[in-house]
Amino acid sequence: MALIESAIGNSGKVARQYAPYVQADWGFANHWYPACFSDEVAVNGVIGVTIGGHDIAVTRDEDGVVHAIADRCLHRGVKLSAKPMCFANKTVTCWYHGYTYNAENGNLDTIVGSPDDHLINTVGVRTYPSEELAGLIFVFVGDDDYGTPPPLDSDLPMKVTDKATPHFRDEKIVTRGIRRKLYGNWRLAAENGLDPGHLLVHWDNQIVVALDRAMPLGMKALKDDATEFVDIEGGPKGVMNRYDLPENYQPVFENPMVDIKARGTTMYEPFRVSCWLPGILMVENWPIPGITQYEFYVPIDDHHHMYFEVIADRASTPEEEKEFAFKYENFYKPLGLLNFNNNDIFAREATEEHYERFDGWNNEVLSNMDFSVVAWRKQAAKHGRGFFQSPFVDED
Amino acid sequence: MTIVEGTEMTVPQTASRHIALRFTDGQVREFDADPGETLLAAARRAGHRLVSQCTVGTCGTCVGTLVDGAGEMPSDRISTLSADELAAGQRLLCQTRALCDSSFDLDYPATLLEAHPPVGFRARITRLTWVADTVVELELKVPKAIKFGFTAGQYCRIQVPGTDEWRSYSIASGEHERFRLTFLIRILPSGVMSDFLRDAARTGQSLEVEGPLGGFVLEPAPRPTVLIAGGTGLAPMLSMLDRLRTVQPTPPILLLFGCNRPAELFHEDELAARISLMPTLEVRTVLMDNAGRDDLPAGTPLSVLRADDVAPDTVSYLCGPPPMIRAAEEQLGALGLPAHDIRAEQFVPSEN
Ligand code: FES
Ligand code: FES
Ligand SMILES: [Fe+2]
């Protein structure tokens, strides 16, 4: 009963090592996902998002607490978020005919123009557990009957203890970021983020040139466990490329065969990269030492994902916060989140066609450098808590 | 005041009324309703699912036609039924209380609300792989326009092209992959399906399929599970494993899998992969004749079943040839499993 040892090859047998991952085209259900940034939802505001086919309306009540309910009016199915209306505290009213839902439990509390309708208090829309943390609003999305959700922390990157990496659970954490809806399956995004072999797409990037940074052409894994499997009981599950351990990876700086050399002369702390369920990247010491970049790849449907790019730092004083905001606006965001990450987006979009239309998941030729991508696939296959499915009639 | 077919009468406060509902496919569902109880609620209480939506008398979907007896609807509110419709016997079952034993006609088949009503369709062969000397794995693509879904454990009938012969095979793929079905098919020296798959079948070819069928289904509650499979009886077990993987909390699962001889053994890699994905899964593979594979025990799946494999709340699923099923039922029964916790799907010896 030998497991297929090698992760290299293009047979369907390789895919069997992580079959549930190949099936997760709509994403893994029953996980916490970021819905939006905190400052996107004002008091009595409503914002609509789609996660794994679930349309969700996020609202904030007058006590500042966020709630998430289905963004689909029971009456005739319009999205509540299409025209936000919150007349009374902790309610969301449908702008079309006035069905008014309780934000806490989804109950149909009244109908604006038909207050004694028999339907009132007999039906409701579903609600989703939600939590706000460090500038992000998280929602637990999945099966209606899943039961008590696991803690949010099980779907965040782990808090590393060997480095002073800023983490969402830090008291002094400050975050800023953007999100954009992109074409492409969420898995292609997650794999691109982790992929130690993809540095070539950034070879001629402005930030690398400007910082005169010694960005390798590739990272050669030296050991089987160069990518660490992290499986914390009741906590985060993910894989970590231990670029920080010289015995694990050898950076490749030149390839004489094609006469190419890494640019730049400045060596930095290694930007250790890790990927976590249900699809979160943590890049430590990036774009500069001491800063951490988090990315969330939130499935919208099988061909689109919401790309969250978040820069995290620590700030204890208002001055430090101001400094962070300034650097974010003038450095991290334009050069890192936009310019640099646009290289990645270009690559993911280019991959989409092969994977979705030509069955790329069973039809790819992986090499040594894909070791950590395969490690991620296995980890995700093992710990995904279920599957999202298409909500559309007559479609998969 | 109550309205009954346009006349006024007093409701007799007697015991429950006997209700019969007749569906368009001729099926009849009977149950008792208490005097104050709506027929929709009474049917639900008796375990019959009826078409309904709002349950408060506004949507009009629960309509039925009174053919016998009497049923009253509230008269003090607007109804989606017109006076003519009421006079013609139409009633909203979510509002109607029966005044005496009554029967109603419904304008849909009883199977309409089954989780996955069987459908017939043409499916394309997308893969045909010999996974052992005598076993073919067949993958079929269900057209997207077909509303097909199933519960792990169910089977499909497949027509042998160019003949009137149909054969039944359990679905081996998971419920999630409802547009890509796989089957494990034992190839016999002769037999219409065997001959077709061996000699004529090509990817791209289309087959007539009907399904899903069968009541051998995985129950949703997480319980310690023992799966016992002989040969291609592994198919429904694979589908069940797919489902069990995401059940919370994942129960302990034991799979006992037996084949005749090394050349007929298949899916060792598949099972190894499942183990790597499912921490609570244990697999014991055996061969009747293990010559050349002395790393595997010789015997039947039952010969590796131990007394401590079965807990009081264990549920077991069996699939394979009738003698294996009989022996397993006996052995599991002796270990204390009640008959209703031993579910079985037999191979029907149909090849010719
Ligand atoms: S569609 Fe929402 S109230 Fe009518
Ligand atoms: S269920 Fe809507 S009228 Fe009866
Ligand atoms: Fe990148």
Side-chain angles (χ1 to χ4, degrees):
Chain A
M1 269 233 247
L3 247 174
I4 310 128
E5 293 299 346
S6 168
I8 300 161
N10 64 355
S11 76
K13 284 198 171 168
V14 178
R16 271 189 174 148
Q17 292 182 95
Y18 43 78
Y21 183 77
V22 175
Q23 290 168 32
D25 50 350
W26 279 75
F28 288 115
N30 307 317
H31 286 273
W32 291 92
Y33 288 95
C36 58
F37 289 96
S38 292
D39 57 13
E40 292 183 82
V41 196
V43 167
N44 285 336
V46 181
I47 195 160
V49 298
T50 303
I51 299 174
H54 293 250
D55 295 316
I56 299 171
V58 182
T59 182
R60 189 187 296 279
D61 67 26
E62 288 165 13
D63 307 321
V65 181
V66 294
H67 307 279
I69 64 175
D71 191 12
R72 213 31 95 185
C73 181
L74 288 172
H75 182 214
R76 308 194 71 164
V78 301
K79 282 190 180 175
L80 305 171
S81 62
K83 187 176 174 190
M85 277 188 173
C86 298
F87 295 123
N89 192 19
K90 296 187 206 293
T91 66
V92 177
T93 291
C94 178
W95 48 273
Y96 197 175
H97 314 88
Y99 278 38
T100 298
Y101 302 100
N102 185 306
E104 276 173 340
N105 58 25
N107 185 50
L108 179 67
D109 276 0
T110 189
I111 299 175
V112 174
S114 183
D116 53 3
D117 200 284
H118 285 79
L119 205 57
I120 291 165
N121 286 325
T122 68
V123 291
V125 292
R126 91 171 262 201
T127 57
Y128 296 85
S130 57
E131 247 181 76
E132 198 165 7
L133 177 68
L136 281 162
I137 294 171
F138 291 88
V139 179
F140 185 78
V141 193
D143 305 330
D144 213 355
D145 57 356
Y146 185 77
T148 315
L152 168 60
D153 293 64
S154 65
D155 288 336
L156 291 176
M158 86 172 175
K159 187 165 158 43
V160 297
T161 49
D162 62 334
K163 296 231 166 12
T165 300
H167 185 269
F168 293 95
R169 284 291 176 197
D170 286 345
E171 242 170 69
K172 308 225 152 35
I173 186 84
V174 279
T175 67
R176 275 173 188 249
I178 56 174
R179 64 183 177 106
R180 24 187 177 164
K181 176 179 176 175
L182 297 183
Y183 170 67
N185 188 263
W186 71 278
R187 291 166 298 184
L188 300 174
E191 296 184 359
N192 159 264
L194 180 72
D195 183 0
H198 89 289
L199 297 178
L200 185 61
V201 307
H202 298 300
W203 181 71
D204 52 0
N205 185 269
Q206 288 171 13
I207 199 174
V208 180
V209 179
L211 295 176
D212 190 32
R213 187 156 176 167
M215 176 93 125
L217 302 169
M219 299 295 290
K220 183 177 168 204
L222 301 173
K223 294 168 60 195
D224 262 5
D225 52 2
T227 297
E228 237 170 56
F229 284 82
V230 186
D231 180 350
I232 298 167
E233 175 125 26
K237 320 281 184 201
V239 295
M240 180 176 270
N241 290 337
R242 298 299 310 262
Y243 295 152
D244 55 326
L245 303 179
E247 66 270 30
N248 278 4
Y249 282 95
Q250 180 194 327
V252 177
F253 286 109
E254 62 179 322
N255 187 328
M257 179 95 180
V258 284
D259 191 23
I260 187 173
K261 268 199 185 69
R263 299 194 48 90
T265 52
T266 322
M267 280 290 185
Y268 278 156
E269 287 261 323
F271 46 100
R272 192 165 64 179
V273 178
S274 49
C275 197
W276 305 87
L277 270 93
I280 314 160
L281 194 75
M282 173 165 77
V283 190
E284 301 168 66
N285 295 317
W286 180 264
I288 55 168
I291 298 294
T292 295
Q293 181 173 312
Y294 290 99
E295 303 188 1
F296 296 83
Y297 315 104
V298 182
I300 294 171
D301 58 28
D302 50 346
H303 296 294
H304 299 87
H305 64 280
M306 185 63 74
Y307 182 32
F308 283 80
E309 304 164 70
V310 182
I311 299 284
D313 194 0
R314 287 199 197 80
S316 314
T317 62
E319 288 70 41
E320 285 176 0
E321 272 172 39
K322 240 173 112 183
E323 177 65 10
F324 173 68
F326 180 83
K327 285 210 178 116
Y328 174 78
E329 285 304 332
N330 297 296
F331 171 31
Y332 306 141
K333 180 173 152 189
L335 287 176
L337 302 190
L338 293 170
N339 189 287
F340 184 88
N341 290 355
N342 284 353
N343 294 155
D344 295 297
I345 292 170
F346 177 72
R348 295 173 208 165
E349 288 183 349
T351 332
E352 169 75 9
E353 183 171 63
H354 179 67
Y355 279 83
E356 296 304 310
R357 296 205 171 137
F358 298 110
D359 195 19
W361 298 104
N362 293 306
N363 185 16
E364 55 184 2
V365 182
L366 302 181
S367 68
N368 266 330
M369 64 182 173
D370 294 304
F371 180 85
S372 52
V373 167
V374 172
W376 152 251
R377 291 177 179 182
K378 287 185 188 168
Q379 193 72 321
K382 188 162 172 179
H383 297 291
R385 301 187 188 117
F387 299 104
F388 287 130
Q389 290 202 14
S390 166
F392 304 125
V393 173
D394 285 352
E395 226 186 282
D396 73 340
Chain B
M1 183 177 75
T2 57
I3 297 179
V4 181
E5 292 169 317
T7 60
E8 267 181 47
M9 73 183 247
T10 331
V11 182
Q13 295 300 315
T14 57
S16 63
R17 297 88 164 83
H18 188 75
I19 308 298
L21 302 179
R22 194 170 66 219
F23 297 82
T24 50
D25 53 359
Q27 292 203 45
V28 178
R29 297 284 144 86
E30 296 182 61
F31 55 95
D32 287 335
D34 290 336
E37 196 178 25
T38 68
L39 295 184
L40 186 71
R44 215 174 254 181
R45 189 164 57 84
H48 307 302
R49 283 161 35 91
L50 302 179
V51 171
S52 70
Q53 198 210 70
C54 69
T55 72
V56 293
T58 56
C59 72
T61 55
C62 62
V63 69
T65 306
L66 183 69
V67 286
D68 214 7
E72 60 146 11
M73 289 195 13
S75 59
D76 57 346
R77 53 174 296 205
I78 308 278
S79 165
T80 50
L81 295 179
S82 67
D84 286 357
E85 288 168 333
L86 275 168
Q90 292 195 16
R91 297 285 183 273
L92 299 177
L93 298 187
C94 74
Q95 299 300 299
T96 303
R97 286 151 178 96
L99 304 177
C100 53
D101 293 353
S102 304
S103 60
F104 293 81
D105 274 353
L106 299 179
D107 63 355
Y108 54 90
T111 53
L112 189 76
L113 288 188
E114 272 176 18
H116 305 295
V119 286
F121 54 92
R122 278 183 82 73
R124 215 157 34 84
I125 301 179
T126 44
R127 211 156 39 77
L128 197 153
T129 317
W130 285 82
V131 292
D133 272 10
T134 53
V135 182
V136 157
E137 187 181 52
L138 179 70
E139 183 189 86
L140 301 181
K141 179 97 175 65
V142 181
K144 278 198 182 156
I146 301 297
K147 254 189 152 354
F148 181 88
F150 68 99
T151 306
Q154 289 193 291
Y155 68 89
C156 286
R157 296 172 70 223
I158 303 177
Q159 188 180 28
V160 184
T163 73
D164 290 334
E165 303 282 336
W166 291 77
R167 294 288 180 270
S168 298
Y169 302 103
S170 295
I171 303 168
S173 40
E175 291 166 19
H176 176 70
E177 295 224 70
R178 59 194 193 285
F179 293 107
R180 239 178 230 269
L181 306 178
T182 60
F183 302 89
L184 291 164
I185 301 179
R186 186 166 147 80
I187 305 297
L188 302 167
S190 77
V192 281
M193 186 61 96
S194 294
D195 293 345
F196 165 72
L197 289 174
R198 190 175 32 236
D199 306 327
R202 296 285 174 269
T203 55
Q205 209 170 349
S206 287
L207 302 170
E208 294 292 335
V209 181
E210 191 200 347
L213 301 162
F216 178 65
V217 291
L218 186 71
E219 72 166 56
R223 294 167 63 182
T225 305
V226 173
L227 308 169
I228 304 181
T232 52
L234 185 65
M237 308 312 181
L238 292 174
S239 186
M240 289 181 180
L241 286 179
D242 237 49
R243 180 75 194 88
L244 285 167
R245 199 184 68 79
T246 57
V247 165
Q248 300 288 326
T250 314
I253 305 157
L254 172 65
L255 168 64
L256 309 178
F257 173 45
C259 290
N260 285 330
R261 48 194 183 85
E264 291 179 18
L265 177 61
F266 59 98
H267 271 7
E268 278 187 283
D269 58 347
E270 175 73 43
L271 292 176
R274 300 290 178 125
I275 292 167
S276 76
L277 298 173
M278 300 179 64
T280 67
L281 170 64
E282 183 191 341
V283 177
R284 290 179 211 149
T285 305
V286 297
L287 290 170
M288 202 60 180
D289 162 11
N290 69 343
R293 280 303 299 266
D294 39 27
D295 57 320
L296 297 177
T300 68
L302 285 175
S303 60
V304 288
L305 175 70
R306 300 190 297 252
D308 60 357
D309 292 333
V310 174
D313 57 339
T314 293
V315 58
S316 67
Y317 299 88
L318 326 170
C319 185
M324 187 203 90
I325 304 266
R326 273 197 303 277
E329 281 170 344
E330 216 165 276
Q331 204 162 324
L332 289 165
L335 290 176
L337 279 199
H340 61 260
D341 283 334
I342 308 174
R343 328 256 163 101
E345 183 88 311
Q346 307 216 355
F347 287 161
V348 206
S350 67
E351 287 279 1
N352 53 34

